[in-house]
Amino acid sequence: MPGVDHCLQEAMAIPGAVGASIVDYTTGFPVATTGAAPNSDHEAAAAGTADVIQAANSRSLFVSAMPHDLLEDLIITTAGGYHLLRMVQTEFDSRLVLYVWLDRVQGNLAVARRRMQKLADELVAT
């Protein structure tokens, strides 16, 4: 997939980034990974990412009242970090998620969200 390596390099350039991956959330398969992963296990992190995205997409609690309103991103916070999951919206199946693990002290959540939005858009454009 063109652009994947560049996307992950740019994701790791986000201040405070600890690890990043691109995940197929329909299968839980990590398409590409870099840096660290929770519990040093990129495969388990990808499967967890898929579970979270599928849960958010399938529960009416997270469904918008606006027609055709799609999930953009999810943020999971822990005492030591942020886990950002950004949907990669495509015209065909939108099954990819950009995941970045951010150190809570060194990272800036707002900056990371903006950069991830740009990276997801660039990934689709390549």
Side-chain angles (χ1 to χ4, degrees):
M1 179 177 215
V4 168
D5 290 335
H6 173 73
C7 179
L8 290 182
Q9 286 175 346
E10 291 295 314
M12 289 302 291
I14 296 171
V18 177
S21 61
I22 296 173
V23 176
D24 179 334
Y25 82 85
T26 63
T27 64
F29 179 76
V31 175
T33 64
T34 190
N39 298 318
S40 301
D41 190 343
H42 282 287
E43 287 77 19
T49 296
D51 289 345
V52 169
I53 294 294
Q54 289 174 6
N57 273 332
S58 66
R59 303 298 190 274
S60 61
L61 176 64
F62 298 107
V63 175
S64 173
M66 296 172 49
H68 309 292
D69 194 17
L70 300 173
L71 177 65
E72 290 183 345
D73 58 17
L74 293 168
I75 301 166
I76 300 168
T77 61
T78 65
Y82 301 112
H83 300 268
L84 290 79
L85 291 74
R86 176 76 189 184
M87 300 297 294
V88 179
Q89 301 294 346
T90 63
E91 292 185 22
F92 47 98
D93 63 2
S94 300
R95 58 192 294 165
L96 296 180
V97 175
L98 175 58
Y99 164 79
V100 173
W101 181 14
L102 207 62
D103 178 271
R104 192 170 186 140
V105 173
Q106 296 177 0
N108 180 308
L109 189 53
V111 168
R113 284 189 69 220
R114 294 251 186 227
R115 296 274 296 275
M116 287 180 68
Q117 179 182 11
K118 183 178 179 218
L119 290 173
D121 292 346
E122 289 175 359
L123 189 59
V124 172
T126 58

